[in-house]
Amino acid sequence: MVAANGKSDQATDSDDLRITDPTFETSLTKSILPNFPVAPGDSVISALKSQTIAQGDGVKVKDIVIEDSLGVAATCLDAFDLRAVAPTQVPWLGRP
């Protein structure tokens, strides 16, 4: 390399490039209370707790979609009449 002032220098360097394939780790815990059979009209609380961790070069988790379905026309929630949805807290992890 020659600079504008006419001076020159040489340098070399080497390094290994490692690309990490993107991976996602997820966990989902479902709880239904009470945990015993209920009669029609009784209250039931269902909770889904999830966590997703992304690893890899430039990988970010943008959306998490959690649904409770069996993948067929009749689902397990057909046995319940939804009366209310309680406020849901989403923890802030301090990162975008």
Side-chain angles (χ1 to χ4, degrees):
M1 174 177 200
V2 179
N5 63 4
K7 297 193 178 204
S8 64
D9 198 3
Q10 292 183 352
T12 60
D13 195 6
S14 67
D15 202 351
D16 294 331
L17 175 64
R18 190 180 88 196
I19 298 175
T20 304
D21 292 332
T23 59
F24 295 93
E25 295 178 23
T26 60
S27 65
L28 178 66
T29 305
K30 178 180 179 180
S31 60
I32 298 177
L33 297 173
N35 58 358
F36 51 84
V38 296
D42 288 348
S43 293
V44 175
I45 297 172
S46 177
L48 297 172
K49 180 179 179 182
S50 67
Q51 180 179 17
T52 300
I53 300 172
Q55 297 176 343
D57 295 333
V59 176
K60 296 180 181 177
V61 177
K62 184 178 177 184
D63 296 318
I64 300 174
V65 177
I66 302 168
E67 64 180 30
D68 192 354
S69 70
L70 297 174
V72 294
T75 67
C76 60
L77 295 179
D78 285 346
F80 303 96
D81 292 325
L82 181 64
R83 282 193 323 195
V85 176
T88 303
Q89 294 182 359
V90 179
W92 171 251
L93 301 177
R95 56 183 177 220

mmCIF file of all heavy atoms in Angstrom, residues 24-68:
data_model
loop_
_atom_site.group_PDB
_atom_site.id
_atom_site.type_symbol
_atom_site.label_atom_id
_atom_site.label_comp_id
_atom_site.label_asym_id
_atom_site.label_seq_id
_atom_site.Cartn_x
_atom_site.Cartn_y
_atom_site.Cartn_z
ATOM 1 N N PHE A 24 -33.802 -21.506 16.972
ATOM 2 C CA PHE A 24 -34.793 -20.993 17.913
ATOM 3 C C PHE A 24 -35.067 -22.069 18.947
ATOM 4 O O PHE A 24 -35.267 -23.224 18.605
ATOM 5 C CB PHE A 24 -36.113 -20.639 17.204
ATOM 6 C CG PHE A 24 -35.995 -19.517 16.231
ATOM 7 C CD1 PHE A 24 -35.750 -19.758 14.896
ATOM 8 C CD2 PHE A 24 -36.118 -18.206 16.657
ATOM 9 C CE1 PHE A 24 -35.629 -18.727 13.997
ATOM 10 C CE2 PHE A 24 -36.000 -17.164 15.767
ATOM 11 C CZ PHE A 24 -35.758 -17.416 14.423
ATOM 12 N N GLU A 25 -35.054 -21.665 20.190
ATOM 13 C CA GLU A 25 -35.446 -22.560 21.278
ATOM 14 C C GLU A 25 -36.751 -22.026 21.848
ATOM 15 O O GLU A 25 -36.843 -20.852 22.180
ATOM 16 C CB GLU A 25 -34.378 -22.598 22.363
ATOM 17 C CG GLU A 25 -33.065 -23.189 21.918
ATOM 18 C CD GLU A 25 -32.022 -23.165 23.024
ATOM 19 O OE1 GLU A 25 -32.408 -23.111 24.210
ATOM 20 O OE2 GLU A 25 -30.836 -23.191 22.686
ATOM 21 N N THR A 26 -37.731 -22.882 21.928
ATOM 22 C CA THR A 26 -39.023 -22.447 22.456
ATOM 23 C C THR A 26 -39.476 -23.383 23.561
ATOM 24 O O THR A 26 -39.122 -24.559 23.585
ATOM 25 C CB THR A 26 -40.108 -22.426 21.352
ATOM 26 O OG1 THR A 26 -40.242 -23.744 20.816
ATOM 27 C CG2 THR A 26 -39.748 -21.475 20.256
ATOM 28 N N SER A 27 -40.236 -22.832 24.469
ATOM 29 C CA SER A 27 -40.871 -23.649 25.498
ATOM 30 C C SER A 27 -42.281 -23.120 25.701
ATOM 31 O O SER A 27 -42.531 -21.920 25.576
ATOM 32 C CB SER A 27 -40.088 -23.608 26.809
ATOM 33 O OG SER A 27 -40.099 -22.306 27.344
ATOM 34 N N LEU A 28 -43.193 -24.016 25.965
ATOM 35 C CA LEU A 28 -44.595 -23.653 26.178
ATOM 36 C C LEU A 28 -45.152 -24.513 27.297
ATOM 37 O O LEU A 28 -45.008 -25.732 27.286
ATOM 38 C CB LEU A 28 -45.406 -23.874 24.895
ATOM 39 C CG LEU A 28 -46.897 -23.571 24.975
ATOM 40 C CD1 LEU A 28 -47.123 -22.082 25.210
ATOM 41 C CD2 LEU A 28 -47.589 -24.012 23.717
ATOM 42 N N THR A 29 -45.738 -23.856 28.266
ATOM 43 C CA THR A 29 -46.366 -24.557 29.387
ATOM 44 C C THR A 29 -47.832 -24.157 29.440
ATOM 45 O O THR A 29 -48.149 -22.969 29.442
ATOM 46 C CB THR A 29 -45.677 -24.186 30.715
ATOM 47 O OG1 THR A 29 -44.289 -24.451 30.598
ATOM 48 C CG2 THR A 29 -46.266 -24.977 31.865
ATOM 49 N N LYS A 30 -48.705 -25.133 29.444
ATOM 50 C CA LYS A 30 -50.150 -24.870 29.503
ATOM 51 C C LYS A 30 -50.690 -25.385 30.830
ATOM 52 O O LYS A 30 -50.356 -26.487 31.272
ATOM 53 C CB LYS A 30 -50.858 -25.589 28.355
ATOM 54 C CG LYS A 30 -52.357 -25.408 28.376
ATOM 55 C CD LYS A 30 -52.995 -26.148 27.219
ATOM 56 C CE LYS A 30 -54.493 -25.997 27.258
ATOM 57 N NZ LYS A 30 -55.130 -26.716 26.145
ATOM 58 N N SER A 31 -51.497 -24.566 31.458
ATOM 59 C CA SER A 31 -52.144 -25.007 32.694
ATOM 60 C C SER A 31 -53.619 -24.640 32.639
ATOM 61 O O SER A 31 -53.993 -23.601 32.099
ATOM 62 C CB SER A 31 -51.483 -24.381 33.922
ATOM 63 O OG SER A 31 -51.576 -22.978 33.868
ATOM 64 N N ILE A 32 -54.428 -25.530 33.144
ATOM 65 C CA ILE A 32 -55.876 -25.307 33.231
ATOM 66 C C ILE A 32 -56.273 -25.545 34.681
ATOM 67 O O ILE A 32 -55.942 -26.577 35.269
ATOM 68 C CB ILE A 32 -56.666 -26.251 32.301
ATOM 69 C CG1 ILE A 32 -56.276 -26.001 30.847
ATOM 70 C CG2 ILE A 32 -58.162 -26.070 32.505
ATOM 71 C CD1 ILE A 32 -56.946 -26.916 29.859
ATOM 72 N N LEU A 33 -56.943 -24.556 35.248
ATOM 73 C CA LEU A 33 -57.399 -24.659 36.634
ATOM 74 C C LEU A 33 -58.907 -24.511 36.692
ATOM 75 O O LEU A 33 -59.460 -23.688 35.979
ATOM 76 C CB LEU A 33 -56.738 -23.587 37.499
ATOM 77 C CG LEU A 33 -55.211 -23.687 37.609
ATOM 78 C CD1 LEU A 33 -54.660 -22.492 38.339
ATOM 79 C CD2 LEU A 33 -54.824 -24.975 38.317
ATOM 80 N N PRO A 34 -59.588 -25.232 37.470
ATOM 81 C CA PRO A 34 -59.084 -26.276 38.364
ATOM 82 C C PRO A 34 -58.614 -27.483 37.546
ATOM 83 O O PRO A 34 -58.982 -27.651 36.390
ATOM 84 C CB PRO A 34 -60.275 -26.616 39.238
ATOM 85 C CG PRO A 34 -61.471 -26.260 38.426
ATOM 86 C CD PRO A 34 -61.046 -25.114 37.552
ATOM 87 N N ASN A 35 -57.805 -28.323 38.164
ATOM 88 C CA ASN A 35 -57.256 -29.484 37.470
ATOM 89 C C ASN A 35 -58.072 -30.751 37.728
ATOM 90 O O ASN A 35 -57.529 -31.834 37.859
ATOM 91 C CB ASN A 35 -55.791 -29.691 37.846
ATOM 92 C CG ASN A 35 -55.591 -29.867 39.335
ATOM 93 O OD1 ASN A 35 -56.553 -29.806 40.104
ATOM 94 N ND2 ASN A 35 -54.359 -30.084 39.750
ATOM 95 N N PHE A 36 -59.377 -30.579 37.794
ATOM 96 C CA PHE A 36 -60.296 -31.709 37.948
ATOM 97 C C PHE A 36 -61.526 -31.415 37.097
ATOM 98 O O PHE A 36 -61.749 -30.269 36.686
ATOM 99 C CB PHE A 36 -60.672 -31.937 39.422
ATOM 100 C CG PHE A 36 -61.152 -30.703 40.126
ATOM 101 C CD1 PHE A 36 -62.488 -30.299 40.029
ATOM 102 C CD2 PHE A 36 -60.287 -29.932 40.895
ATOM 103 C CE1 PHE A 36 -62.935 -29.161 40.679
ATOM 104 C CE2 PHE A 36 -60.732 -28.791 41.543
ATOM 105 C CZ PHE A 36 -62.059 -28.412 41.428
ATOM 106 N N PRO A 37 -62.346 -32.414 36.785
ATOM 107 C CA PRO A 37 -63.525 -32.176 35.940
ATOM 108 C C PRO A 37 -64.456 -31.123 36.547
ATOM 109 O O PRO A 37 -64.627 -31.046 37.760
ATOM 110 C CB PRO A 37 -64.207 -33.545 35.896
ATOM 111 C CG PRO A 37 -63.113 -34.525 36.184
ATOM 112 C CD PRO A 37 -62.184 -33.824 37.129
ATOM 113 N N VAL A 38 -65.032 -30.293 35.681
ATOM 114 C CA VAL A 38 -65.939 -29.237 36.125
ATOM 115 C C VAL A 38 -67.310 -29.451 35.493
ATOM 116 O O VAL A 38 -67.433 -30.104 34.465
ATOM 117 C CB VAL A 38 -65.408 -27.841 35.756
ATOM 118 C CG1 VAL A 38 -64.109 -27.557 36.494
ATOM 119 C CG2 VAL A 38 -65.214 -27.693 34.267
ATOM 120 N N ALA A 39 -68.305 -28.893 36.119
ATOM 121 C CA ALA A 39 -69.676 -28.986 35.616
ATOM 122 C C ALA A 39 -69.958 -27.805 34.695
ATOM 123 O O ALA A 39 -69.296 -26.765 34.788
ATOM 124 C CB ALA A 39 -70.648 -28.992 36.801
ATOM 125 N N PRO A 40 -70.931 -27.925 33.803
ATOM 126 C CA PRO A 40 -71.299 -26.794 32.948
ATOM 127 C C PRO A 40 -71.606 -25.564 33.798
ATOM 128 O O PRO A 40 -72.290 -25.650 34.827
ATOM 129 C CB PRO A 40 -72.540 -27.288 32.211
ATOM 130 C CG PRO A 40 -72.400 -28.771 32.209
ATOM 131 C CD PRO A 40 -71.728 -29.116 33.506
ATOM 132 N N GLY A 41 -71.068 -24.432 33.400
ATOM 133 C CA GLY A 41 -71.273 -23.184 34.128
ATOM 134 C C GLY A 41 -70.186 -22.859 35.120
ATOM 135 O O GLY A 41 -70.090 -21.731 35.600
ATOM 136 N N ASP A 42 -69.341 -23.843 35.471
ATOM 137 C CA ASP A 42 -68.231 -23.580 36.378
ATOM 138 C C ASP A 42 -67.148 -22.765 35.675
ATOM 139 O O ASP A 42 -66.988 -22.828 34.460
ATOM 140 C CB ASP A 42 -67.607 -24.887 36.887
ATOM 141 C CG ASP A 42 -68.491 -25.614 37.891
ATOM 142 O OD1 ASP A 42 -69.471 -25.003 38.350
ATOM 143 O OD2 ASP A 42 -68.200 -26.783 38.196
ATOM 144 N N SER A 43 -66.387 -22.005 36.441
ATOM 145 C CA SER A 43 -65.301 -21.202 35.882
ATOM 146 C C SER A 43 -64.057 -22.057 35.676
ATOM 147 O O SER A 43 -63.746 -22.926 36.490
ATOM 148 C CB SER A 43 -64.959 -20.042 36.812
ATOM 149 O OG SER A 43 -66.036 -19.139 36.864
ATOM 150 N N VAL A 44 -63.365 -21.780 34.584
ATOM 151 C CA VAL A 44 -62.126 -22.461 34.264
ATOM 152 C C VAL A 44 -61.122 -21.404 33.815
ATOM 153 O O VAL A 44 -61.461 -20.496 33.071
ATOM 154 C CB VAL A 44 -62.324 -23.498 33.136
ATOM 155 C CG1 VAL A 44 -60.996 -24.118 32.731
ATOM 156 C CG2 VAL A 44 -63.298 -24.577 33.565
ATOM 157 N N ILE A 45 -59.882 -21.511 34.279
ATOM 158 C CA ILE A 45 -58.822 -20.583 33.883
ATOM 159 C C ILE A 45 -57.778 -21.367 33.103
ATOM 160 O O ILE A 45 -57.289 -22.393 33.567
ATOM 161 C CB ILE A 45 -58.180 -19.917 35.106
ATOM 162 C CG1 ILE A 45 -59.217 -19.080 35.856
ATOM 163 C CG2 ILE A 45 -56.987 -19.060 34.690
ATOM 164 C CD1 ILE A 45 -58.714 -18.543 37.171
ATOM 165 N N SER A 46 -57.463 -20.888 31.908
ATOM 166 C CA SER A 46 -56.429 -21.493 31.081
ATOM 167 C C SER A 46 -55.285 -20.498 30.924
ATOM 168 O O SER A 46 -55.518 -19.321 30.665
ATOM 169 C CB SER A 46 -56.994 -21.867 29.715
ATOM 170 O OG SER A 46 -55.979 -22.381 28.890
ATOM 171 N N ALA A 47 -54.056 -20.957 31.097
ATOM 172 C CA ALA A 47 -52.897 -20.076 30.968
ATOM 173 C C ALA A 47 -51.853 -20.742 30.085
ATOM 174 O O ALA A 47 -51.611 -21.943 30.185
ATOM 175 C CB ALA A 47 -52.301 -19.779 32.343
ATOM 176 N N LEU A 48 -51.271 -19.956 29.180
ATOM 177 C CA LEU A 48 -50.180 -20.414 28.332
ATOM 178 C C LEU A 48 -48.968 -19.544 28.622
ATOM 179 O O LEU A 48 -49.027 -18.329 28.478
ATOM 180 C CB LEU A 48 -50.552 -20.304 26.853
ATOM 181 C CG LEU A 48 -51.716 -21.155 26.368
ATOM 182 C CD1 LEU A 48 -52.076 -20.794 24.941
ATOM 183 C CD2 LEU A 48 -51.375 -22.630 26.471
ATOM 184 N N LYS A 49 -47.879 -20.157 29.057
ATOM 185 C CA LYS A 49 -46.642 -19.423 29.325
ATOM 186 C C LYS A 49 -45.614 -19.881 28.293
ATOM 187 O O LYS A 49 -45.384 -21.077 28.136
ATOM 188 C CB LYS A 49 -46.139 -19.716 30.734
ATOM 189 C CG LYS A 49 -44.865 -18.994 31.086
ATOM 190 C CD LYS A 49 -44.424 -19.313 32.502
ATOM 191 C CE LYS A 49 -43.128 -18.588 32.826
ATOM 192 N NZ LYS A 49 -42.639 -18.906 34.153
ATOM 193 N N SER A 50 -45.019 -18.918 27.585
ATOM 194 C CA SER A 50 -44.075 -19.292 26.535
ATOM 195 C C SER A 50 -42.801 -18.471 26.635
ATOM 196 O O SER A 50 -42.776 -17.385 27.199
ATOM 197 C CB SER A 50 -44.704 -19.094 25.164
ATOM 198 O OG SER A 50 -44.915 -17.724 24.932
ATOM 199 N N GLN A 51 -41.738 -19.017 26.035
ATOM 200 C CA GLN A 51 -40.460 -18.320 25.960
ATOM 201 C C GLN A 51 -39.783 -18.758 24.671
ATOM 202 O O GLN A 51 -39.811 -19.933 24.309
ATOM 203 C CB GLN A 51 -39.577 -18.655 27.151
ATOM 204 C CG GLN A 51 -38.239 -17.958 27.118
ATOM 205 C CD GLN A 51 -37.377 -18.294 28.322
ATOM 206 O OE1 GLN A 51 -37.611 -19.260 29.019
ATOM 207 N NE2 GLN A 51 -36.367 -17.489 28.552
ATOM 208 N N THR A 52 -39.183 -17.804 23.966
ATOM 209 C CA THR A 52 -38.447 -18.099 22.747
ATOM 210 C C THR A 52 -37.087 -17.414 22.813
ATOM 211 O O THR A 52 -36.994 -16.244 23.153
ATOM 212 C CB THR A 52 -39.213 -17.611 21.506
ATOM 213 O OG1 THR A 52 -40.477 -18.265 21.459
ATOM 214 C CG2 THR A 52 -38.450 -17.923 20.241
ATOM 215 N N ILE A 53 -36.053 -18.153 22.480
ATOM 216 C CA ILE A 53 -34.700 -17.618 22.439
ATOM 217 C C ILE A 53 -34.145 -17.871 21.042
ATOM 218 O O ILE A 53 -34.183 -19.000 20.547
ATOM 219 C CB ILE A 53 -33.798 -18.297 23.492
ATOM 220 C CG1 ILE A 53 -34.345 -18.068 24.897
ATOM 221 C CG2 ILE A 53 -32.365 -17.803 23.371
ATOM 222 C CD1 ILE A 53 -33.643 -18.860 25.974
ATOM 223 N N ALA A 54 -33.657 -16.807 20.398
ATOM 224 C CA ALA A 54 -33.078 -16.918 19.061
ATOM 225 C C ALA A 54 -31.559 -16.819 19.166
ATOM 226 O O ALA A 54 -31.039 -15.989 19.898
ATOM 227 C CB ALA A 54 -33.617 -15.814 18.167
ATOM 228 N N GLN A 55 -30.867 -17.681 18.421
ATOM 229 C CA GLN A 55 -29.412 -17.649 18.389
ATOM 230 C C GLN A 55 -28.963 -17.709 16.940
ATOM 231 O O GLN A 55 -29.557 -18.397 16.126
ATOM 232 C CB GLN A 55 -28.824 -18.828 19.157
ATOM 233 C CG GLN A 55 -29.153 -18.830 20.624
ATOM 234 C CD GLN A 55 -28.625 -20.059 21.327
ATOM 235 O OE1 GLN A 55 -28.293 -21.045 20.711
ATOM 236 N NE2 GLN A 55 -28.560 -19.989 22.654
ATOM 237 N N GLY A 56 -27.933 -16.985 16.617
ATOM 238 C CA GLY A 56 -27.407 -16.994 15.260
ATOM 239 C C GLY A 56 -27.082 -15.595 14.807
ATOM 240 O O GLY A 56 -27.383 -14.607 15.481
ATOM 241 N N ASP A 57 -26.460 -15.507 13.649
ATOM 242 C CA ASP A 57 -26.034 -14.223 13.113
ATOM 243 C C ASP A 57 -27.234 -13.404 12.651
ATOM 244 O O ASP A 57 -27.892 -13.753 11.674
ATOM 245 C CB ASP A 57 -25.052 -14.423 11.960
ATOM 246 C CG ASP A 57 -23.755 -15.072 12.424
ATOM 247 O OD1 ASP A 57 -23.417 -14.898 13.605
ATOM 248 O OD2 ASP A 57 -23.103 -15.757 11.621
ATOM 249 N N GLY A 58 -27.534 -12.322 13.340
ATOM 250 C CA GLY A 58 -28.602 -11.406 12.943
ATOM 251 C C GLY A 58 -30.010 -11.927 13.149
ATOM 252 O O GLY A 58 -30.963 -11.390 12.593
ATOM 253 N N VAL A 59 -30.191 -12.956 13.956
ATOM 254 C CA VAL A 59 -31.515 -13.541 14.159
ATOM 255 C C VAL A 59 -32.229 -12.814 15.284
ATOM 256 O O VAL A 59 -31.666 -12.584 16.346
ATOM 257 C CB VAL A 59 -31.405 -15.043 14.499
ATOM 258 C CG1 VAL A 59 -32.764 -15.630 14.803
ATOM 259 C CG2 VAL A 59 -30.745 -15.782 13.360
ATOM 260 N N LYS A 60 -33.472 -12.414 15.016
ATOM 261 C CA LYS A 60 -34.303 -11.764 16.032
ATOM 262 C C LYS A 60 -35.679 -12.393 16.026
ATOM 263 O O LYS A 60 -36.186 -12.784 14.980
ATOM 264 C CB LYS A 60 -34.438 -10.268 15.740
ATOM 265 C CG LYS A 60 -33.143 -9.506 15.824
ATOM 266 C CD LYS A 60 -33.359 -8.047 15.526
ATOM 267 C CE LYS A 60 -32.041 -7.291 15.587
ATOM 268 N NZ LYS A 60 -32.207 -5.887 15.240
ATOM 269 N N VAL A 61 -36.284 -12.482 17.184
ATOM 270 C CA VAL A 61 -37.659 -12.947 17.291
ATOM 271 C C VAL A 61 -38.557 -11.731 17.164
ATOM 272 O O VAL A 61 -38.484 -10.813 17.976
ATOM 273 C CB VAL A 61 -37.915 -13.678 18.627
ATOM 274 C CG1 VAL A 61 -39.369 -14.080 18.750
ATOM 275 C CG2 VAL A 61 -37.006 -14.885 18.748
ATOM 276 N N LYS A 62 -39.378 -11.708 16.136
ATOM 277 C CA LYS A 62 -40.249 -10.559 15.901
ATOM 278 C C LYS A 62 -41.649 -10.802 16.455
ATOM 279 O O LYS A 62 -42.195 -9.969 17.145
ATOM 280 C CB LYS A 62 -40.327 -10.259 14.407
ATOM 281 C CG LYS A 62 -41.137 -9.037 14.079
ATOM 282 C CD LYS A 62 -41.132 -8.762 12.594
ATOM 283 C CE LYS A 62 -42.022 -7.572 12.289
ATOM 284 N NZ LYS A 62 -42.117 -7.339 10.862
ATOM 285 N N ASP A 63 -42.234 -11.930 16.148
ATOM 286 C CA ASP A 63 -43.587 -12.248 16.595
ATOM 287 C C ASP A 63 -43.626 -13.658 17.159
ATOM 288 O O ASP A 63 -42.943 -14.550 16.671
ATOM 289 C CB ASP A 63 -44.586 -12.183 15.432
ATOM 290 C CG ASP A 63 -44.723 -10.796 14.848
ATOM 291 O OD1 ASP A 63 -44.768 -9.838 15.633
ATOM 292 O OD2 ASP A 63 -44.788 -10.679 13.621
ATOM 293 N N ILE A 64 -44.435 -13.827 18.183
ATOM 294 C CA ILE A 64 -44.717 -15.149 18.725
ATOM 295 C C ILE A 64 -46.227 -15.332 18.651
ATOM 296 O O ILE A 64 -46.979 -14.504 19.161
ATOM 297 C CB ILE A 64 -44.255 -15.288 20.187
ATOM 298 C CG1 ILE A 64 -42.756 -15.060 20.294
ATOM 299 C CG2 ILE A 64 -44.641 -16.655 20.733
ATOM 300 C CD1 ILE A 64 -42.254 -15.044 21.721
ATOM 301 N N VAL A 65 -46.652 -16.388 17.994
ATOM 302 C CA VAL A 65 -48.084 -16.681 17.887
ATOM 303 C C VAL A 65 -48.344 -17.954 18.674
ATOM 304 O O VAL A 65 -47.758 -18.993 18.397
ATOM 305 C CB VAL A 65 -48.522 -16.863 16.413
ATOM 306 C CG1 VAL A 65 -49.988 -17.239 16.346
ATOM 307 C CG2 VAL A 65 -48.242 -15.611 15.614
ATOM 308 N N ILE A 66 -49.215 -17.843 19.654
ATOM 309 C CA ILE A 66 -49.577 -18.988 20.487
ATOM 310 C C ILE A 66 -51.063 -19.230 20.296
ATOM 311 O O ILE A 66 -51.867 -18.321 20.466
ATOM 312 C CB ILE A 66 -49.290 -18.718 21.976
ATOM 313 C CG1 ILE A 66 -47.819 -18.383 22.160
ATOM 314 C CG2 ILE A 66 -49.694 -19.907 22.827
ATOM 315 C CD1 ILE A 66 -47.502 -17.839 23.514
ATOM 316 N N GLU A 67 -51.404 -20.453 19.924
ATOM 317 C CA GLU A 67 -52.821 -20.768 19.783
ATOM 318 C C GLU A 67 -53.100 -22.117 20.405
ATOM 319 O O GLU A 67 -52.220 -22.975 20.476
ATOM 320 C CB GLU A 67 -53.254 -20.732 18.323
ATOM 321 C CG GLU A 67 -52.594 -21.758 17.436
ATOM 322 C CD GLU A 67 -53.064 -21.657 16.002
ATOM 323 O OE1 GLU A 67 -53.408 -20.542 15.570
ATOM 324 O OE2 GLU A 67 -53.095 -22.681 15.330
ATOM 325 N N ASP A 68 -54.298 -22.286 20.845
ATOM 326 C CA ASP A 68 -54.719 -23.517 21.493
ATOM 327 C C ASP A 68 -55.723 -24.183 20.566
ATOM 328 O O ASP A 68 -56.899 -23.857 20.578
ATOM 329 C CB ASP A 68 -55.345 -23.194 22.850
ATOM 330 C CG ASP A 68 -55.529 -24.434 23.700
ATOM 331 O OD1 ASP A 68 -55.272 -25.540 23.205
ATOM 332 O OD2 ASP A 68 -55.927 -24.296 24.857
#
